[in-house]
Coordinates of all heavy atoms in Angstrom, one line a residue:
M1 N 90.5 81.6 110.7 CA 91.0 82.8 110.2 C 92.4 82.6 109.5 O 93.2 81.9 110.1 CB 91.2 83.8 111.3 CG 89.9 84.3 111.9 SD 90.3 85.5 113.2 CE 89.3 86.8 112.6
N2 N 92.5 83.2 108.4 CA 93.8 83.0 107.7 C 94.7 84.3 107.8 O 95.7 84.4 107.1 CB 93.6 82.7 106.2 CG 92.9 83.7 105.4 OD1 92.3 84.7 106.0 ND2 92.8 83.6 104.2
I3 N 94.3 85.2 108.7 CA 95.1 86.4 108.9 C 95.8 86.4 110.3 O 95.1 86.0 111.2 CB 94.3 87.6 108.7 CG1 93.8 87.7 107.2 CG2 95.0 88.9 109.1 CD1 93.0 88.9 106.9
R4 N 97.0 86.7 110.3 CA 97.7 86.7 111.6 C 98.4 88.1 111.9 O 98.5 88.9 111.0 CB 98.8 85.7 111.6 CG 98.3 84.3 111.3 CD 99.4 83.3 111.3 NE 98.9 82.0 110.8 CZ 99.6 81.2 110.0 NH1 100.8 81.5 109.6 NH2 99.1 80.1 109.6
T5 N 98.9 88.3 113.1 CA 99.6 89.5 113.4 C 100.8 89.6 112.6 O 101.5 88.6 112.3 CB 99.9 89.5 114.9 OG1 98.7 89.2 115.7 CG2 100.5 90.8 115.4
N6 N 101.2 90.8 112.2 CA 102.4 91.2 111.4 C 102.2 90.9 109.9 O 103.2 91.0 109.2 CB 103.7 90.6 112.0 CG 104.1 91.1 113.3 OD1 103.8 92.3 113.6 ND2 104.6 90.3 114.1
D7 N 101.1 90.4 109.5 CA 100.8 90.2 108.1 C 100.6 91.6 107.4 O 100.1 92.5 108.1 CB 99.5 89.4 107.8 CG 99.8 87.9 108.0 OD1 101.0 87.5 108.0 OD2 98.8 87.2 108.2
T8 N 100.9 91.7 106.2 CA 100.6 92.9 105.4 C 99.3 92.7 104.6 O 99.2 91.7 104.0 CB 101.8 93.2 104.4 OG1 103.0 93.3 105.1 CG2 101.6 94.6 103.7
I9 N 98.4 93.7 104.7 CA 97.1 93.6 104.1 C 96.8 94.8 103.3 O 97.5 95.8 103.4 CB 96.0 93.4 105.1 CG1 96.0 94.5 106.2 CG2 96.2 92.0 105.8 CD1 94.9 95.5 105.9
M10 N 95.8 94.7 102.4 CA 95.3 95.8 101.6 C 93.8 96.0 102.0 O 93.1 95.0 102.0 CB 95.5 95.6 100.1 CG 95.0 96.8 99.3 SD 95.2 96.5 97.5 CE 93.8 95.5 97.2
M11 N 93.4 97.3 102.2 CA 92.0 97.6 102.5 C 91.2 97.5 101.2 O 91.6 98.0 100.2 CB 91.9 99.0 103.1 CG 92.6 99.2 104.4 SD 91.7 98.5 105.7 CE 90.4 99.7 105.9
L12 N 90.0 96.9 101.3 CA 89.2 96.7 100.1 C 88.0 97.8 100.1 O 87.5 98.0 99.0 CB 88.6 95.3 100.1 CG 89.6 94.2 100.0 CD1 88.8 92.9 100.0 CD2 90.4 94.3 98.7
I13 N 87.6 98.3 101.2 CA 86.5 99.3 101.3 C 86.9 100.5 102.2 O 87.9 100.4 102.9 CB 85.2 98.6 101.8 CG1 85.4 98.2 103.2 CG2 84.8 97.5 100.9 CD1 84.1 98.2 103.9
G14 N 86.0 101.5 102.2 CA 86.2 102.6 103.1 C 87.0 103.7 102.6 O 87.5 103.7 101.4
K15 N 87.3 104.6 103.5 CA 88.1 105.8 103.1 C 89.6 105.5 102.8 O 90.3 106.2 102.2 CB 88.0 106.9 104.2 CG 88.6 106.4 105.6 CD 88.4 107.4 106.6 CE 89.0 106.9 108.0 NZ 88.7 107.8 109.1
D16 N 90.0 104.3 103.3 CA 91.4 103.9 103.1 C 91.5 102.8 102.0 O 92.5 102.1 102.0 CB 92.0 103.4 104.4 CG 92.1 104.5 105.4 OD1 92.4 105.6 105.1 OD2 91.9 104.2 106.6
K17 N 90.6 102.7 101.1 CA 90.5 101.7 100.1 C 91.8 101.8 99.2 O 92.2 102.8 98.8 CB 89.3 101.9 99.2 CG 89.2 100.9 98.1 CD 87.9 101.1 97.3 CE 87.8 100.1 96.2 NZ 86.6 100.2 95.5
G18 N 92.4 100.6 99.1 CA 93.7 100.5 98.3 C 94.9 100.7 99.0 O 96.0 100.4 98.5
K19 N 94.9 101.2 100.3 CA 96.1 101.4 101.1 C 96.5 100.1 101.7 O 95.7 99.2 102.0 CB 95.8 102.5 102.1 CG 95.6 103.8 101.6 CD 95.4 104.8 102.7 CE 95.1 106.2 102.1 NZ 94.9 107.2 103.2
T20 N 97.8 100.0 102.1 CA 98.3 98.8 102.7 C 98.8 99.2 104.1 O 99.1 100.3 104.4 CB 99.5 98.2 101.9 OG1 100.5 99.2 101.8 CG2 99.0 97.8 100.5
G21 N 98.8 98.1 105.0 CA 99.2 98.3 106.3 C 99.5 97.0 107.0 O 99.2 95.9 106.5
K22 N 100.1 97.1 108.2 CA 100.5 95.9 108.9 C 99.5 95.6 110.0 O 99.0 96.6 110.7 CB 101.9 96.1 109.5 CG 102.5 94.8 110.2 CD 103.9 95.1 110.6 CE 103.9 95.6 112.0 NZ 105.2 95.7 112.6
I23 N 99.1 94.4 110.2 CA 98.2 94.0 111.3 C 98.8 94.1 112.6 O 99.9 93.4 112.9 CB 97.5 92.6 111.0 CG1 96.7 92.7 109.8 CG2 96.7 92.2 112.2 CD1 95.9 91.5 109.5
L24 N 98.2 94.8 113.5 CA 98.7 95.0 114.9 C 98.1 93.9 115.8 O 98.8 93.4 116.7 CB 98.4 96.4 115.5 CG 99.1 97.5 114.7 CD1 98.6 98.8 115.3 CD2 100.6 97.4 114.8
Q25 N 96.8 93.7 115.6 CA 96.1 92.8 116.5 C 95.0 92.1 115.8 O 94.3 92.7 114.9 CB 95.5 93.6 117.7 CG 94.8 92.8 118.7 CD 94.3 93.8 119.8 OE1 94.3 95.0 119.7 NE2 93.9 93.2 120.9
V26 N 94.7 90.8 116.1 CA 93.6 90.1 115.5 C 92.6 89.8 116.6 O 93.0 89.3 117.6 CB 94.1 88.8 114.8 CG1 92.9 88.0 114.2 CG2 95.1 89.2 113.7
L27 N 91.3 90.0 116.3 CA 90.3 89.8 117.3 C 89.4 88.6 116.7 O 88.4 88.9 116.1 CB 89.4 91.0 117.5 CG 90.3 92.3 117.9 CD1 89.4 93.5 117.8 CD2 90.9 92.1 119.3
P28 N 89.7 87.3 117.0 CA 89.0 86.2 116.4 C 87.5 86.1 116.8 O 86.7 85.7 116.0 CB 89.8 85.0 116.8 CG 90.7 85.4 117.8 CD 90.8 86.9 117.8
K29 N 87.2 86.4 118.0 CA 85.8 86.3 118.4 C 84.9 87.2 117.7 O 83.7 86.8 117.3 CB 85.7 86.6 119.9 CG 86.2 85.4 120.8 CD 85.8 85.6 122.2 CE 86.3 84.4 123.0 NZ 86.0 84.6 124.4
S30 N 85.3 88.4 117.4 CA 84.5 89.4 116.7 C 84.8 89.4 115.2 O 84.1 90.1 114.4 CB 84.7 90.8 117.2 OG 86.0 91.2 117.1
G31 N 85.8 88.6 114.7 CA 86.1 88.6 113.3 C 86.7 89.9 112.8 O 86.5 90.3 111.6
K32 N 87.5 90.6 113.6 CA 88.0 91.9 113.2 C 89.6 91.9 113.4 O 90.1 91.0 114.1 CB 87.4 93.0 114.0 CG 85.9 93.1 113.7 CD 85.3 94.2 114.5 CE 83.8 94.3 114.2 NZ 83.4 95.5 113.7
A33 N 90.2 92.9 112.8 CA 91.6 93.1 113.0 C 91.9 94.6 113.1 O 91.2 95.4 112.5 CB 92.4 92.5 111.8
V34 N 93.0 94.9 113.8 CA 93.4 96.3 113.9 C 94.6 96.5 113.0 O 95.6 95.7 113.1 CB 93.8 96.7 115.4 CG1 94.3 98.1 115.5 CG2 92.6 96.4 116.3
V35 N 94.6 97.5 112.1 CA 95.6 97.7 111.1 C 96.4 99.0 111.4 O 95.7 100.0 111.7 CB 95.1 97.7 109.7 CG1 96.2 97.8 108.7 CG2 94.2 96.5 109.4
E36 N 97.7 98.9 111.4 CA 98.5 100.1 111.7 C 98.3 101.2 110.7 O 98.5 101.0 109.5 CB 100.0 99.6 111.7 CG 101.0 100.7 112.1 CD 102.4 100.2 112.1 OE1 102.7 99.3 111.3 OE2 103.2 100.7 112.9
G37 N 97.9 102.4 111.1 CA 97.8 103.5 110.2 C 96.6 103.6 109.4 O 96.4 104.5 108.6
L38 N 95.7 102.6 109.5 CA 94.5 102.6 108.6 C 93.2 102.6 109.5 O 93.3 102.1 110.7 CB 94.5 101.4 107.7 CG 95.6 101.3 106.7 CD1 95.5 100.1 105.9 CD2 95.7 102.5 105.8
N39 N 92.1 103.1 109.0 CA 90.8 103.1 109.7 C 91.0 103.9 111.0 O 90.5 103.5 112.0 CB 90.3 101.7 110.0 CG 88.8 101.7 110.3 OD1 88.1 102.6 109.8 ND2 88.4 100.8 111.1
L40 N 91.6 105.1 110.9 CA 91.9 105.9 112.0 C 90.6 106.7 112.4 O 89.9 107.2 111.5 CB 93.0 106.9 111.8 CG 94.4 106.2 111.5 CD1 95.4 107.3 111.2 CD2 94.8 105.5 112.7
V41 N 90.4 106.9 113.7 CA 89.4 107.8 114.2 C 90.0 108.8 115.2 O 91.0 108.5 115.8 CB 88.2 107.0 114.9 CG1 87.5 106.2 113.9 CG2 88.7 106.2 116.0
K42 N 89.4 110.0 115.3 CA 89.9 111.0 116.2 C 89.2 110.7 117.6 O 88.0 110.5 117.7 CB 89.5 112.4 115.7 CG 89.9 112.7 114.4 CD 91.4 113.1 114.4 CE 91.8 113.6 113.0 NZ 93.1 113.9 112.9
R43 N 90.0 110.8 118.6 CA 89.6 110.6 120.0 C 90.0 111.9 120.8 O 91.1 112.2 120.8 CB 90.2 109.4 120.6 CG 89.9 109.2 122.0 CD 89.4 107.8 122.3 NE 89.4 107.4 123.7 CZ 88.5 107.8 124.5 NH1 87.5 108.6 124.1 NH2 88.5 107.5 125.8
H44 N 89.0 112.5 121.4 CA 89.2 113.7 122.2 C 89.6 113.2 123.6 O 88.8 112.4 124.2 CB 88.0 114.6 122.3 CG 87.7 115.2 121.0 ND1 88.1 116.4 120.6 CD2 87.0 114.7 119.9 CE1 87.6 116.7 119.4 NE2 87.0 115.6 118.9
Q45 N 90.7 113.6 124.1 CA 91.2 113.2 125.4 C 91.3 114.4 126.4 O 91.8 115.4 126.0 CB 92.6 112.5 125.3 CG 93.0 111.8 126.6 CD 94.2 110.9 126.3 OE1 94.8 111.0 125.3 NE2 94.5 110.1 127.3
R46 N 90.7 114.2 127.6 CA 90.7 115.2 128.6 C 92.1 115.4 129.2 O 92.8 114.4 129.2 CB 89.7 114.9 129.7 CG 88.3 115.0 129.2 CD 87.4 114.7 130.4 NE 86.1 115.1 130.0 CZ 85.1 115.5 130.9 NH1 85.3 115.4 132.2 NH2 83.9 115.9 130.4
P47 N 92.3 116.6 129.8 CA 93.6 116.7 130.5 C 93.6 115.9 131.7 O 92.6 115.7 132.4 CB 93.6 118.2 130.8 CG 92.2 118.7 130.6 CD 91.6 117.8 129.7
K48 N 94.8 115.2 132.0 CA 94.9 114.3 133.1 C 95.2 115.1 134.4 O 94.7 114.8 135.5 CB 96.0 113.3 132.9 CG 95.8 112.5 131.6 CD 95.3 111.2 132.0 CE 95.3 110.3 130.8 NZ 94.2 109.5 130.6
K49 N 96.0 116.2 134.3 CA 96.4 116.9 135.5 C 96.0 118.4 135.4 O 95.7 118.9 134.3 CB 98.0 116.8 135.7 CG 98.5 115.4 135.9 CD 100.0 115.4 136.0 CE 100.5 114.0 136.1 NZ 101.9 113.9 136.1
Q50 N 96.1 119.1 136.4 CA 95.8 120.5 136.5 C 96.8 121.3 135.6 O 98.0 121.0 135.7 CB 95.9 121.0 137.9 CG 95.4 122.4 138.1 CD 93.9 122.6 138.1 OE1 93.2 121.6 138.3 NE2 93.5 123.8 137.7
G51 N 96.4 122.1 134.7 CA 97.3 122.9 133.9 C 97.7 122.2 132.6 O 98.2 122.8 131.7
Q52 N 97.4 120.9 132.5 CA 97.7 120.2 131.2 C 96.6 120.4 130.2 O 95.4 120.6 130.6 CB 97.8 118.7 131.6 CG 98.3 117.9 130.4 CD 98.4 116.4 130.8 OE1 97.6 115.9 131.7 NE2 99.3 115.7 130.2
K53 N 96.9 120.4 128.9 CA 95.9 120.7 127.9 C 95.3 119.4 127.4 O 96.0 118.3 127.4 CB 96.6 121.4 126.7 CG 96.9 122.8 127.0 CD 97.2 123.5 125.7 CE 97.3 125.0 125.9 NZ 97.5 125.8 124.7
G54 N 94.1 119.4 127.0 CA 93.4 118.3 126.3 C 94.0 118.1 124.9 O 94.6 119.1 124.4
E55 N 93.8 117.0 124.3 CA 94.3 116.8 123.0 C 93.4 115.9 122.2 O 92.6 115.2 122.7 CB 95.8 116.2 123.0 CG 95.9 115.0 123.9 CD 97.3 114.5 124.1 OE1 98.2 115.0 123.3 OE2 97.6 113.7 125.0
I56 N 93.7 115.9 120.9 CA 92.9 115.0 120.0 C 93.9 113.9 119.4 O 94.9 114.3 118.9 CB 92.3 115.8 118.8 CG1 91.3 116.8 119.3 CG2 91.6 114.9 117.8 CD1 90.8 117.8 118.3
I57 N 93.6 112.7 119.6 CA 94.5 111.6 119.3 C 93.8 110.8 118.2 O 92.6 110.5 118.2 CB 94.7 110.7 120.5 CG1 95.3 111.4 121.6 CG2 95.6 109.5 120.1 CD1 95.4 110.7 122.9
S58 N 94.6 110.3 117.2 CA 94.1 109.4 116.1 C 94.5 108.0 116.5 O 95.6 107.7 116.8 CB 94.8 109.7 114.8 OG 94.4 111.0 114.3
R59 N 93.4 107.2 116.6 CA 93.6 105.8 116.9 C 93.1 104.8 115.9 O 92.1 105.1 115.3 CB 92.9 105.5 118.2 CG 93.4 106.2 119.4 CD 92.6 105.9 120.7 NE 92.5 104.5 120.9 CZ 91.7 104.0 121.8 NH1 90.9 104.7 122.5 NH2 91.8 102.7 122.0
P60 N 93.8 103.7 115.6 CA 93.2 102.7 114.6 C 92.1 102.0 115.3 O 92.2 101.6 116.4 CB 94.4 101.8 114.3 CG 95.3 102.0 115.5 CD 95.1 103.3 116.1
R61 N 91.0 101.8 114.5 CA 89.8 101.0 115.0 C 89.8 99.7 114.3 O 90.3 99.5 113.2 CB 88.5 101.8 114.6 CG 88.4 103.1 115.4 CD 87.9 102.9 116.7 NE 86.6 102.1 116.6 CZ 85.8 101.9 117.6 NH1 86.0 102.5 118.7 NH2 84.7 101.2 117.4
P62 N 89.2 98.7 114.9 CA 89.1 97.4 114.3 C 88.3 97.4 113.0 O 87.3 98.2 112.9 CB 88.5 96.5 115.3 CG 88.6 97.2 116.6 CD 88.7 98.6 116.3
I63 N 88.7 96.6 112.0 CA 87.9 96.5 110.8 C 87.6 95.1 110.5 O 88.4 94.2 110.9 CB 88.7 97.2 109.6 CG1 87.8 97.2 108.4 CG2 90.0 96.4 109.3 CD1 88.2 98.1 107.3
D64 N 86.5 94.8 109.9 CA 86.1 93.4 109.7 C 87.1 92.7 108.7 O 87.6 93.3 107.8 CB 84.7 93.4 109.1 CG 84.0 92.0 109.3 OD1 83.5 91.8 110.4 OD2 84.0 91.2 108.3
I65 N 87.4 91.5 109.0 CA 88.4 90.8 108.2 C 88.0 90.6 106.8 O 88.8 90.5 105.9 CB 88.7 89.4 108.9 CG1 89.4 89.8 110.2 CG2 89.5 88.5 108.0 CD1 90.3 88.8 110.7
S66 N 86.7 90.6 106.5 CA 86.2 90.4 105.1 C 86.5 91.6 104.3 O 86.4 91.5 103.1 CB 84.7 90.1 105.1 OG 84.0 91.2 105.6
N67 N 86.9 92.7 104.9 CA 87.1 93.9 104.1 C 88.6 94.2 103.9 O 89.0 95.3 103.5 CB 86.5 95.1 104.9 CG 85.1 95.0 105.0 OD1 84.4 94.5 104.1 ND2 84.5 95.5 106.1
V68 N 89.5 93.2 104.2 CA 90.9 93.3 103.9 C 91.3 92.1 103.1 O 90.7 91.0 103.1 CB 91.7 93.4 105.2 CG1 91.3 94.6 106.0 CG2 91.6 92.1 106.1
M69 N 92.4 92.2 102.4 CA 93.0 91.1 101.6 C 94.5 91.0 101.9 O 95.2 92.0 101.9 CB 92.8 91.3 100.1 CG 93.2 90.2 99.3 SD 92.7 90.3 97.6 CE 91.2 89.3 97.6
L70 N 94.9 89.8 102.1 CA 96.3 89.5 102.5 C 97.2 89.7 101.3 O 96.9 89.4 100.2 CB 96.4 88.1 103.0 CG 97.7 87.7 103.7 CD1 97.9 88.5 104.9 CD2 97.6 86.2 104.0
I71 N 98.4 90.3 101.5 CA 99.4 90.5 100.4 C 100.4 89.4 100.6 O 101.0 89.3 101.6 CB 100.0 91.9 100.5 CG1 98.9 93.0 100.2 CG2 101.2 92.1 99.6 CD1 99.4 94.4 100.3
C72 N 100.6 88.7 99.5 CA 101.6 87.6 99.4 C 103.0 88.1 99.7 O 103.4 89.1 99.1 CB 101.5 86.9 98.1 SG 102.6 85.5 98.0
R73 N 103.8 87.4 100.5 CA 105.2 87.8 100.7 C 106.1 87.5 99.5 O 107.1 88.1 99.4 CB 105.7 87.0 101.9 CG 105.0 87.3 103.2 CD 105.6 86.6 104.3 NE 104.8 86.9 105.6 CZ 104.8 86.1 106.6 NH1 105.5 85.0 106.7 NH2 104.1 86.5 107.7
H74 N 105.7 86.6 98.7 CA 106.5 86.2 97.5 C 106.3 87.1 96.3 O 107.2 87.7 95.7 CB 106.3 84.8 97.1 CG 106.8 83.8 98.2 ND1 108.1 83.5 98.5 CD2 106.0 83.1 99.1 CE1 108.1 82.7 99.5 NE2 106.9 82.4 99.9
C75 N 105.0 87.2 95.9 CA 104.7 87.9 94.7 C 104.3 89.4 94.9 O 104.2 90.2 94.0 CB 103.6 87.3 93.9 SG 102.0 87.1 94.7
K76 N 104.2 89.8 96.2 CA 103.9 91.2 96.7 C 102.6 91.7 96.1 O 102.5 92.9 95.9 CB 105.1 92.1 96.3 CG 106.4 91.7 96.8 CD 106.6 91.8 98.2 CE 108.0 91.6 98.7 NZ 108.2 90.6 99.7
K77 N 101.6 90.8 95.8 CA 100.4 91.2 95.3 C 99.3 90.7 96.2 O 99.4 89.7 96.9 CB 100.1 90.6 93.9 CG 101.1 91.2 92.9 CD 100.9 90.5 91.5 CE 101.9 91.0 90.5 NZ 101.7 90.3 89.3
P78 N 98.1 91.5 96.3 CA 97.0 91.0 97.1 C 96.4 89.7 96.5 O 96.2 89.7 95.2 CB 96.0 92.1 97.1 CG 96.4 93.0 96.0 CD 97.9 92.8 95.7
S79 N 96.2 88.7 97.3 CA 95.7 87.5 96.7 C 95.0 86.7 97.8 O 95.2 86.9 99.0 CB 96.8 86.6 96.1 OG 97.7 86.3 97.0
R80 N 94.2 85.7 97.4 CA 93.5 84.8 98.3 C 94.5 83.8 98.8 O 95.4 83.5 98.1 CB 92.3 84.2 97.7 CG 91.2 85.2 97.4 CD 90.0 84.6 96.7 NE 90.4 84.0 95.4 CZ 90.0 82.9 94.9 NH1 89.1 82.2 95.6 NH2 90.4 82.5 93.7
M81 N 94.3 83.2 100.0 CA 95.1 82.2 100.5 C 94.4 80.9 100.6 O 93.2 80.8 100.9 CB 95.6 82.6 101.9 CG 96.5 83.8 101.9 SD 98.1 83.4 101.1 CE 98.5 85.0 100.5
G82 N 95.1 79.8 100.4 CA 94.6 78.5 100.6 C 95.4 77.8 101.6 O 96.4 78.3 102.1
M83 N 95.0 76.6 102.0 CA 95.7 75.8 103.1 C 96.2 74.5 102.5 O 95.6 73.9 101.6 CB 94.8 75.5 104.2 CG 94.2 76.7 104.9 SD 95.5 77.6 105.7 CE 94.6 78.7 106.7
R84 N 97.4 74.2 102.9 CA 98.1 72.9 102.5 C 98.6 72.2 103.7 O 99.2 72.8 104.6 CB 99.2 73.2 101.5 CG 99.7 71.9 100.9 CD 100.8 72.1 99.8 NE 102.0 72.4 100.6 CZ 103.0 73.2 100.1 NH1 102.8 73.8 99.0 NH2 104.1 73.4 100.8
R85 N 98.4 70.9 103.8 CA 98.8 70.1 104.9 C 100.0 69.2 104.5 O 100.0 68.6 103.4 CB 97.7 69.2 105.4 CG 96.7 70.0 106.1 CD 95.6 69.0 106.7 NE 94.6 69.8 107.2 CZ 94.0 69.6 108.4 NH1 94.4 68.7 109.1 NH2 93.1 70.4 108.8
E86 N 101.0 69.2 105.4 CA 102.1 68.2 105.2 C 102.2 67.6 106.6 O 102.8 68.1 107.5 CB 103.4 68.9 104.8 CG 103.3 69.4 103.4 CD 104.6 70.1 103.0 OE1 105.6 70.1 103.8 OE2 104.7 70.7 101.9
G87 N 101.7 66.4 106.7 CA 101.7 65.7 108.0 C 100.7 66.4 109.0 O 99.6 66.6 108.7
K88 N 101.3 66.9 110.1 CA 100.5 67.6 111.1 C 100.6 69.1 110.9 O 99.9 69.9 111.5 CB 100.9 67.2 112.5 CG 100.5 65.8 112.8 CD 100.5 65.5 114.2 CE 100.1 64.1 114.5 NZ 99.7 63.9 115.9
K89 N 101.5 69.6 110.0 CA 101.7 71.0 109.8 C 100.7 71.5 108.8 O 100.5 70.9 107.8 CB 103.1 71.3 109.4 CG 104.1 71.1 110.6 CD 105.4 71.7 110.2 CE 106.4 71.6 111.4 NZ 107.6 72.3 111.1
V90 N 100.2 72.8 109.0 CA 99.3 73.4 108.0 C 100.0 74.7 107.5 O 100.5 75.5 108.3 CB 98.0 73.7 108.6 CG1 97.1 74.4 107.6 CG2 97.3 72.5 109.1
F91 N 100.1 74.9 106.2 CA 100.7 76.1 105.6 C 99.7 76.9 104.8 O 98.8 76.3 104.2 CB 101.9 75.6 104.7 CG 102.9 74.9 105.3 CD1 103.0 73.5 105.2 CD2 103.9 75.6 106.1 CE1 104.0 72.8 105.9 CE2 104.9 74.9 106.7 CZ 105.0 73.5 106.6
R92 N 99.9 78.2 104.8 CA 99.1 79.0 104.0 C 99.8 79.1 102.6 O 101.0 79.3 102.5 CB 99.0 80.5 104.5 CG 98.2 80.5 105.8 CD 98.0 81.9 106.3 NE 99.2 82.6 106.5 CZ 99.4 83.8 106.9 NH1 98.3 84.6 107.1 NH2 100.5 84.4 107.1
V93 N 99.0 79.0 101.6 CA 99.6 79.0 100.2 C 98.8 80.1 99.4 O 97.6 80.2 99.4 CB 99.4 77.6 99.5 CG1 100.0 77.7 98.1 CG2 100.1 76.6 100.4
C94 N 99.6 80.9 98.7 CA 99.1 81.9 97.8 C 98.4 81.3 96.6 O 98.9 80.4 96.0 CB 100.2 82.9 97.4 SG 99.7 84.1 96.2
K95 N 97.2 81.7 96.3 CA 96.4 81.2 95.2 C 97.0 81.7 93.8 O 96.8 81.1 92.8 CB 94.9 81.5 95.2 CG 94.2 80.9 96.4 CD 93.8 79.5 96.1 CE 92.8 79.0 97.2 NZ 92.3 77.7 96.8
R96 N 97.7 82.8 93.9 CA 98.2 83.4 92.7 C 99.6 82.8 92.2 O 99.7 82.5 91.1 CB 98.3 84.9 92.9 CG 98.6 85.7 91.7 CD 98.6 87.2 92.0 NE 97.2 87.7 91.9 CZ 97.0 88.9 91.8 NH1 97.9 89.8 91.8 NH2 95.7 89.4 91.7
C97 N 100.5 82.7 93.2 CA 101.9 82.3 92.8 C 102.2 80.9 93.4 O 103.3 80.4 93.2 CB 102.9 83.3 93.2 SG 103.2 83.5 95.0
R98 N 101.4 80.4 94.2 CA 101.6 79.1 94.9 C 102.7 79.1 95.9 O 103.3 78.1 96.3 CB 101.8 78.0 93.9 CG 100.7 77.8 92.9 CD 99.6 77.1 93.6 NE 98.5 76.8 92.6 CZ 97.2 77.0 92.8 NH1 96.8 77.4 94.0 NH2 96.3 76.8 91.9
G99 N 103.1 80.3 96.4 CA 104.2 80.4 97.4 C 103.6 80.3 98.8 O 102.5 80.7 99.0
E100 N 104.4 79.8 99.7 CA 104.0 79.7 101.1 C 104.1 81.0 101.8 O 105.1 81.8 101.6 CB 104.8 78.6 101.8 CG 104.5 77.2 101.4 CD 105.2 76.2 102.3 OE1 105.8 76.6 103.3 OE2 105.3 75.1 101.8
N101 N 103.2 81.3 102.7 CA 103.2 82.5 103.5 C 103.4 82.1 105.0 O 102.8 81.4 105.6 CB 102.0 83.3 103.3 CG 102.1 84.2 102.2 OD1 103.2 84.7 101.9 ND2 101.0 84.4 101.5

């Protein structure tokens, strides 16, 4: 996976197509990521205590990684990432501007 937590991404499909957000969590086993403020669903929550009101909460749901594109930190545009090795270190490289991410 070439996407990590705190990366900025752009949505490619769905109701939030074209919007950008920050990755909160990456789920590598399922190939999904949770993005802040995107792919929100309404959740009805029951009252916890007597006299308290129930409420409707918006929560971000995981989205498949194939449906997001990483935004380069240097050129600030959505682009594909490649990998470059220097010794034992591996760096992500933007295919558009060749900058390291």
Side-chain angles (χ1 to χ4, degrees):
M1 291 185 127
N2 62 348
I3 292 181
R4 301 179 190 142
T5 306
N6 292 327
D7 281 343
T8 306
I9 57 98
M10 183 179 81
M11 296 283 283
L12 298 177
I13 66 154
K15 62 184 178 184
D16 296 322
K17 181 178 180 178
K19 293 182 182 177
T20 61
K22 189 173 90 171
I23 292 189
L24 299 175
Q25 184 181 12
V26 178
L27 310 166
K29 284 189 178 179
S30 60
K32 297 183 181 233
V34 179
V35 183
E36 181 179 35
L38 300 179
N39 199 29
L40 297 175
V41 292
K42 303 280 187 187
R43 174 132 169 78
H44 294 262
Q45 191 166 11
R46 288 185 166 202
K48 302 261 189 224
K49 298 177 184 174
Q50 187 77 25
Q52 190 181 27
K53 287 192 171 185
E55 54 189 342
I56 301 173
I57 300 172
S58 292
R59 295 178 55 190
R61 294 279 306 194
I63 188 162
D64 202 79
I65 292 209
S66 64
N67 298 326
V68 299
M69 185 171 263
L70 194 60
I71 294 179
C72 178
R73 292 180 184 163
H74 297 284
C75 60
K76 306 288 189 236
K77 295 178 183 175
S79 61
R80 294 178 297 140
M81 293 292 150
M83 298 294 191
R84 188 177 78 210
R85 288 182 186 230
E86 289 181 8
K88 293 195 176 197
K89 290 191 175 188
V90 179
F91 298 101
R92 293 186 300 179
V93 179
C94 174
K95 295 275 190 174
R96 190 176 272 196
C97 72
R98 302 285 182 222
E100 284 186 18
N101 273 325

